[in-house]
Amino acid sequence: VSELRQDPVTGLWVAVATERAKRPHEFISAAKWGVETSGACPFCPGNESETPPEVMAYRMPGTAPDTPGWQVRVVPNLYPAFGPATGESAMRTEGPYRAMHALGVHEVLIITPEHRADIGALPLEDVKTLVRCYVDRYLAHRNDPTIEYITIVHNHGREAGASREHPHSQLFGIPLVPSAVETELAGLRRWREERAGCAYCDLVQYECKTGDRLVYENEQFVVFAPYASRVPFETWSIPKAHWGDFEAMNEGQQAQFADALRALLAKVVRGLNGVSFNYWIHSAPCRTAGGDLYHWHLELLPKLSIQAGFELGAGVMIETVPPEQAAAFLRGVDVEGAFGR
Ligand SMILES: [Zn+2]
Ligand SMILES: [Zn+2]
Ligand SMILES: [Zn+2]
């Protein structure tokens, strides 16, 4: 568990590891490690004792917890960035600074028993199961009084920060609304005051009409390359209807979202040769203002570029692939069919 520290000028929060801090020499050897490929994988069936006890699993009738027979298995992160309180008060000050304990939850969602499952070629049924698991875990935590915000992220590949090859997502329940979402909320509020309506609804409508940046759409979801993409082949999936809470999806909407997510993953992973990527879900805050203002979505950023001095210093990304070209390319990639690495 770490400590949340706030930059007093920008307001940005940083989670600083206090208990299990890395020593400087660990960074030197870390560069040589890849994603581990051999040895016992704690996420594979048969190795359930290598993880903390499961908090949820979809498993075959008659199989016991922490034994094989599961399709999806959720366990607490062995080294959580956010976790239960350890006694001290939540918020404290130090001179001009503010800090608080990183209260919350940090879970690992093992989305398939198959170590080498290719996330770009998952059958629709498996993606539906993944989406159901995401919704279930949101619902499990959204009424926890210490949690202000829940996000689910998926890291794929070493360059994207995945420390294990076995496909898994992570849920973070944190005690504040992250600045990325605060920024979006402020923009949505401004848009509503100036033009009425929801910015994301307007974008979806425009992207569907023009089609230049459209990658995929079904009845209820659209997948597109955002107009101001931050990295090459950035792609979003967003519901066509206005709604703020990811976890409010019913079964039919979950199936539609699974179809859109599967198309997005297949096109990005196949089209870009198994590229590393991160995706995350942005949903409305659990309690604080947001209400009917927010419009949830999934953002996927492939790891094809490295931020250099200007990007880091100015916060202005230099985009080398126009989103219109990226979208045209991804539109042409088949969702079905063979895929070899
Ligand atoms: Zn494994
Ligand atoms: Zn909207
Ligand atoms: Zn967002």
Side-chain angles (χ1 to χ4, degrees), residues 13 35 46 58 64 67-68 84 110 114 135 159 179 187 215 264 290 299 313 338:
W13 291 91
V35 168
Y58 302 155
T67 67
I110 309 164
E114 269 182 69
V135 169
E159 293 83 359
S179 53
V215 173
L264 164 56
E299 301 176 16

Side-chain angles (χ1 to χ4, degrees), residues 36 39-45 47 70 110 112-116 164-167:
E36 112 295 342
C41 167
F43 299 164
C44 273
N47 300 340
W70 48 272
I110 309 164
T112 168
E114 269 182 69
H115 188 85
R116 295 201 182 278
R164 300 207 167 274
E165 187 179 42
H166 196 125

Side-chain angles (χ1 to χ4, degrees), residues 164-180:
R164 300 207 167 274
E165 187 179 42
H166 196 125
H168 63 285
S169 305
Q170 296 177 67
L171 177 141
F172 294 83
I174 63 175
L176 51 87
V177 179
S179 53

Side-chain angles (χ1 to χ4, degrees), residues 198 200-201 241-243 294-295:
C198 162
Y200 288 129
C201 285
H242 182 74
W243 107 72
Y294 204 67
H295 189 139

Side-chain angles (χ1 to χ4, degrees), residues 149 180-181 184 200 230 234 236 280-283 294-299:
Y149 197 78
V181 174
E184 290 179 351
Y200 288 129
R230 290 161 286 184
E234 175 172 352
W236 295 0
W280 53 81
I281 291 163
H282 273 165
S283 185
Y294 204 67
H295 189 139
W296 78 266
H297 53 272
L298 176 143
E299 301 176 16

